[in-house]
């Protein structure tokens, strides 16, 4: 081993050089090691109350990432996904979050569904500067002191109930019953809705909040029907709505029904049968089946039976990826700081990562329009009010009818 | 990496306290309590509500523990005369009705929203390594509780409780006020669950009714039985076993791909069920049997 | 409100009709085995899913699926007894109760493993209810009620007049005396486990028809079943029916005054009150075993 003039062997100088490079790599992960994968976490409800929705939510993200990685990743860096099950249980979700953040070292978490879950993991995320984006609806999420790390694609209750009120009034509904399960937004929604429609001369004749997961709702519904409502607004989850719709039908109810996508989906329609489901309205934040993003999602999942939360998680991953691509700061902070740049207007409207990347490489400003809506965020990380789409069940299929401005 | 273990250990400590409390009721005195999570909830919610109103931690802790003990006494006074398998059903009912109350009475408890931003005691002074600090405090509390309960177990009072557990009639004939002792033991167990609840609420900074479901009680039972009922060390060991089990199944899916999502959860629950059955059949005393007291 | 009340009563009768069979099964099992069998809820779930497999997957018509389900559920009940409870015949009731909780975890999650969490329905169109005098009842609900009544009557006759029934009652009343008189208690346990599970499986189909099929369907009912059996006087299959109708009635009629969010409180409330003040049940005068 020859020594060079400065007194280091080749082996030693290699070691020094290697150590130095390694040291630099640790200190500057953004620039130096282009092969370092981007670590992202999903925390969807694979089991528990959100179980019907979680698997597809996770699948949407997985398929988008696979395609992203196959086409070169984000500026050459592959995305590594870590999946955990929130079990729709805040405590389990907290433990899973610790694992995702501290063992898997993810820079972002997507897909939390239950508001209690999102609220429980929020402090861990923002204290660790990890970006979190959810589909949760509780108003409390807007008010979190979260240093802008917590975003969501689900409109908050005031927006939703306002739109429902508008829908009811536009349809000329006069005698309305409100049925909901006990959730963080059940009462706020009901109260806002009631105020809006009653100010215009309609009447909420029954206001029922019921206990979830009971085997039958015969008497609760008897009570509701006792006031002869002509229309029903239902805010429950699909297991209960299946039971409720069957009961309403048997009890001879012939009036209108409207509810969100999580209460009424294709599975519900299939379970209760075309006759029972005929005419039921679904009113959801604008999942426009004609939008490029939605069509892309249909292609990826290979089906048109997509729940509204999976449309949102498709947007979650795209938003995060485009934000990282635009800002090139591969941390939660980077996602946070660049998210509105790629999602809010102005900009060229894009509906997929590939499309967005194309324009970003040309140095242009983009405006991501998602499968779940325009995806424009306000200062608190909430979705700005936007159009809602309503569909109706006809002969066992859900058919889009029109739009309502949010 | 280490923060993950700190987090999991914190949960272990909390479940260990829950387990010790159940041990006082079941292991020491032979009382069946399938509603343990109810006292856990009372402790958590009391401390959370009072803390958000601005009361200092020491005060909220004391109030929470006292209230949990009070609930324990009330439940015990009304129901302890029942046969044990019915006592199980009734105590379960208590925790479920309490949960409904927490869920529906939004004006007090925040309802389904839960209570957010529960203040963490002396956070402002130690923000950087808070989790480690919290874990240390919990460990100290646990050690103190363990020492206290060991003394209790070895004391004449402890012997009396065991006598009641093993044969009520004999204990009564020996002149002990059986019923009063049972109520006291039950209340002590409830107080401990309340204490665990306080630490739970302030650790997570968030509680919701969904976190206080019967499954938690079942988990504590599994922990206690697995570790060894009657045995305080076993109660703590059981908490380790429980959390290790719950966390390790998480990693199963990385090795057995078909086990994802609901299948993994189903398998986990089946394993818990099998474990319960086998434990009951073969080793009812659990892993660490009750230590026989050496006399004279 | 007058005929509304009648509707509530009818609702209660329907609920009671569905609860009656599992309540009878629960009491039968308690009488013979002397512990509350928490797995009874999952026999309902099993019944619902086996019938689903028969009706939807294999395409059998509902009545055939019904019979097949009862037969198979019976074997399930026997299997559970032989594997989980038989090794523990000498143990205290609480231990067996805990074992039955373990069994319920296993059965519920086996259903979940195979079929997932999604709700399912049978190949049976939902029909408009029929109406007389201001009250409505669905056609399937009426059939469910009738079938349930037939089984109730059959079980009563079985218990009262058949040799099996008399042996069951003998073992329930006084096992020691029964064995002295030469009654083979293991054989009785075998038959009772079969019968109880078969009846409960039948209830599972009824629940599936009336509402929906999912892994939690039995768990949702277990509280009411306990209440029905306890109210009727636990261990007494004959009065369990009365308990079931009472519970069904109370749960539905209370919805007139009680906030719907506290529905579960009814069942538990009744259990607590009965156990504290009339532990032998509402209908019996003698002390419970």
């Amino acid at each position: 081993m020859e020594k060079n003039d400065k007194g280091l062997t080749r082996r030693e100088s290699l070691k020094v050089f290697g150590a130095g490079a390694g040291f630099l790599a640790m200190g500057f992960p953004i620039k130096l090691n282009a092969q370092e994968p981007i670590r992202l976490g999903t925390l969807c409800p694979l089991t528990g109350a959100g179980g019907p929705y979680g698997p597809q939510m996770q699948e949407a993200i997985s398929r988008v990432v696979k395609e992203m990685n196959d086409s070169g990743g984000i500026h050459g860096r592959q995305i590594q996904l870590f999946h955990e099950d929130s079990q729709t249980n805040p405590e389990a979700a907290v433990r899973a979050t610790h694992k995702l953040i501290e063992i898997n070292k993810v820079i972002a978490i997507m897909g939390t569904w239950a508001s209690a879950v999102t609220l429980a993991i929020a402090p861990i995320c923002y204290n660790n500067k990890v970006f979190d984006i959810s589909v949760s609806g509780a108003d409390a999420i807007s008010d979190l002191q979260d240093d802008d790390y917590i975003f969501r694609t689900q409109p908050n209750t005031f927006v939703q109930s306002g739109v429902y009120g508008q829908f009811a009034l536009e349809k000329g509904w006069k005698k309305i019953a409100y049925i909901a399960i006990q959730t963080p937004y059940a009462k706020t929604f009901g109260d806002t809705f009631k105020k809006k429609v009653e100010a215009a001369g309609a009447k909420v004749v029954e206001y029922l909040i019921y206990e979830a997961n009971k085997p039958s709702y015969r008497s609760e519904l008897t009570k509701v029907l006792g006031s002869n409502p002509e229309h029903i607004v239902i805010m429950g989850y699909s297991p209960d709505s299946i039971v409720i719709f069957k009961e309403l039908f048997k009890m001879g109810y012939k009036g209108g029904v409207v509810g969100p996508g999580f209460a009424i989906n294709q599975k519900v329609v299939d379970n209760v049968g075309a006759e029972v489901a005929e005419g039921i309205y679904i009113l959801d934040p604008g999942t426009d089946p004609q939008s490029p993003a939605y069509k892309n999602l249909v292609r990826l999942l290979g089906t048109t039976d997509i729940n509204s939360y999976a449309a949102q998680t498709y947007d979650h991953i795209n938003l995060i990826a485009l934000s990282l691509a635009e800002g090139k700061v591969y941390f939660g902070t980077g996602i946070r700081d660049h998210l509105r740049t790629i999602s809010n207007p102005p900009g060229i409207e894009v509906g997929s990562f590939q499309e967005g990347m194309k324009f970003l490489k040309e140095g242009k400003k983009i405006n991501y329009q998602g499968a779940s809506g325009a995806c424009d965020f306000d200062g608190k990380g909430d979705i700005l009010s936007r159009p809602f789409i309503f569909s109706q069940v006809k002969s066992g299929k859900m058919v889009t009818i029109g739009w309502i401005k949010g | 990496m280490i923060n993950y273990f700190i987090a999991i250990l914190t949960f272990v400590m909390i479940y260990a306290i829950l387990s010790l409390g159940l041990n006082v009721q079941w292991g020491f005195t032979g009382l069946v309590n399938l509603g343990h999570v109810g006292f856990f909830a009372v402790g958590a919610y009391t401390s959370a509500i009072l803390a958000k109103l601005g009361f200092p931690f020491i005060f909220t802790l004391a109030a929470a523990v006292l209230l949990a003990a009070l609930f324990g006494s009330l439940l015990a006074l009304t129901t302890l005369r029942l046969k044990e398998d019915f006592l199980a059903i009734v105590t379960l009912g208590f925790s479920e009705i309490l949960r409904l109350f927490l869920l529906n009475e939004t004006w007090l408890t925040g309802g389904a929203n839960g209570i957010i931003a529960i203040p963490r005691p002396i956070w402002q002074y130690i923000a950087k390594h808070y989790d480690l600090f919290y874990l240390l405090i919990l460990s100290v509390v646990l050690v103190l509780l363990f020492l206290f309960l060991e003394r209790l177990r070895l004391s004449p009072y402890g012997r009396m409780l065991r006598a009641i557990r093993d044969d009520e009639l004999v204990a009564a004939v020996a002149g002990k006020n059986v019923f009063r002792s049972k109520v006291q033991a039950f209340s002590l167990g409830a107080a401990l669950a309340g204490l665990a609840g306080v630490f739970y609420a302030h650790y997570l900074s968030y509680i919701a009714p969904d976190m206080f479901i019967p499954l938690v009680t079942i988990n504590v039972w599994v922990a206690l039985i697995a570790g060894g009922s009657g045995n305080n060390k076993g109660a703590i060991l059981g908490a380790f076993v429980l959390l290790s089990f719950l966390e390790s199944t998480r990693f199963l899916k990385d090795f057995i791909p078909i086990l994802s999502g609901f299948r993994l959860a189903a398998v986990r629950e089946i394993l818990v069920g099998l474990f319960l059955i086998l434990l009951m059949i073969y080793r009812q005393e659990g892993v660490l049997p009750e230590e026989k007291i050496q006399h004279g | 409100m007058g005929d509304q009340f009648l509707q509530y009563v009818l609702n209660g009768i329907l609920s009671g009709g569905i609860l009656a069979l599992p309540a009878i099964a629960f009491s039968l099992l308690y009488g013979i085995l002397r512990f509350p069998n928490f797995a009874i809820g999952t026999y309902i779930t099993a019944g619902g899913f086996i019938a689903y497999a028969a009706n939807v997957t294999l395409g059998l018509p509902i009545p055939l699926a019904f019979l097949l389900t009862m037969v198979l559920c019976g074997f399930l009940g026997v299997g559970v007894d032989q594997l989980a409870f038989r090794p523990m015949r000498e143990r205290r009731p609480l231990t067996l109760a805990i074992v039955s909780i373990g069994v319920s975890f296993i059965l519920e999650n086996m259903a979940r493993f195979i079929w997932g969490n999604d709700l399912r329905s049978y190949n049976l169109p939902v029909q408009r209810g029929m109406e007389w005098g201001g009250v409505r009842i669905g056609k399937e609900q009426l059939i469910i009620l009738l079938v349930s009544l037939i089984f109730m009557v059959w079980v009563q006759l079985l218990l009262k007049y058949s040799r099996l029934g008399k042996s069951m009652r003998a073992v329930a009343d006084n096992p020691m005396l029964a064995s002295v008189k030469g009654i083979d208690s293991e054989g009785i346990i075998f038959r009772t486990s079969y019968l109880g599970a078969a009846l409960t499986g039948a209830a599972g189909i009824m629940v599936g028809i009336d509402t929906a099929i999912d892994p939690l369907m039995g768990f949702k009912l277990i509280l009411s079943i306990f209440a029905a059996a306890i109210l009727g006087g636990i261990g007494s299959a004959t009065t369990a029916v009365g308990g079931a109708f009472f519970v069904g009635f109370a749960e539905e009629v209370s919805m007139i005054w009680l906030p719907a969010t506290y529905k579960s409180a009814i069942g538990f409330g009744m259990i607590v009150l009965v156990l504290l003040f009339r532990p032998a049940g509402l209908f019996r005068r003698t002390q419970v075993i």
Side-chain angles (χ1 to χ4, degrees), chain C residues 167-201:
Chain C
S167 309
M168 280 179 181
R169 281 188 292 134
V171 172
D173 278 343
N174 195 329
M176 206 107 63
L177 192 56
S179 75
V180 160
K181 297 191 82 173
I183 296 178
D184 164 28
S185 64
E186 270 303 319
I188 297 295
I189 292 175
F190 189 98
R191 311 249 247 310
T192 312
S193 303
Y194 191 93
L195 181 63
L199 284 174
T200 314

Side-chain angles (χ1 to χ4, degrees), chain B residues 94-168:
Chain B
F94 156 73
S95 74
E96 275 294 274
I97 296 192
L98 183 75
R99 185 181 63 80
L100 282 181
F101 178 83
L102 295 172
L103 183 63
N104 296 321
E105 303 307 310
T106 317
W107 57 274
L108 178 66
T109 63
N113 246 330
I115 303 183
I116 60 173
I118 302 172
R120 297 176 128 192
I122 60 179
W123 163 272
Q124 49 272 48
Y125 305 113
I126 321 199
K128 197 100 210 298
H129 295 287
Y130 192 80
D131 283 354
L132 186 58
F133 164 73
Y134 203 83
L135 180 63
L136 287 172
I137 297 284
L138 256 181
S139 315
V140 169
V141 169
L142 186 65
V143 167
L144 289 173
L145 278 176
F146 176 75
L147 291 172
F148 167 70
L149 289 172
E150 277 293 282
R151 297 222 74 194
L152 189 69
R153 181 173 71 90
L154 297 168
S155 73
Y157 189 77
R159 276 203 292 277
M160 174 177 65
L161 291 180
R162 267 195 305 286
I164 292 174
R165 179 195 70 194
D166 293 336
D167 199 325
E168 261 187 54

Side-chain angles (χ1 to χ4, degrees), chain A residues 6 30 135 160 164 189 226 327 331 367 404:
Chain A
K6 288 178 179 113
I30 313 168
V135 305
Q160 296 221 49
Y164 271 72
F189 187 102
F331 291 117
N367 172 9
I404 297 210

Side-chain angles (χ1 to χ4, degrees), chain A residues 72-139:
Chain A
I74 302 180
H75 296 306
R77 296 168 65 142
Q78 297 281 290
I79 298 172
Q80 209 179 352
L81 275 182
F82 294 91
H83 299 297
E84 285 297 327
D85 176 8
S86 73
Q87 299 176 42
T88 321
N89 177 320
E91 186 191 303
V94 163
R95 288 188 270 117
T97 304
H98 278 288
K99 183 225 175 219
L100 284 172
I101 294 181
E102 281 132 23
I103 297 197
N104 299 129
K105 308 247 183 263
V106 302
I107 61 172
I109 295 183
M110 304 170 265
T112 47
W113 179 83
S115 298
V117 165
T118 305
L119 288 168
I121 71 164
I124 311 173
C125 291
Y126 60 74
N127 283 329
N128 281 290
K129 300 195 183 349
V130 168
F131 182 81
D132 172 76
I133 184 165
S134 73
V135 305
S136 302
D139 295 329

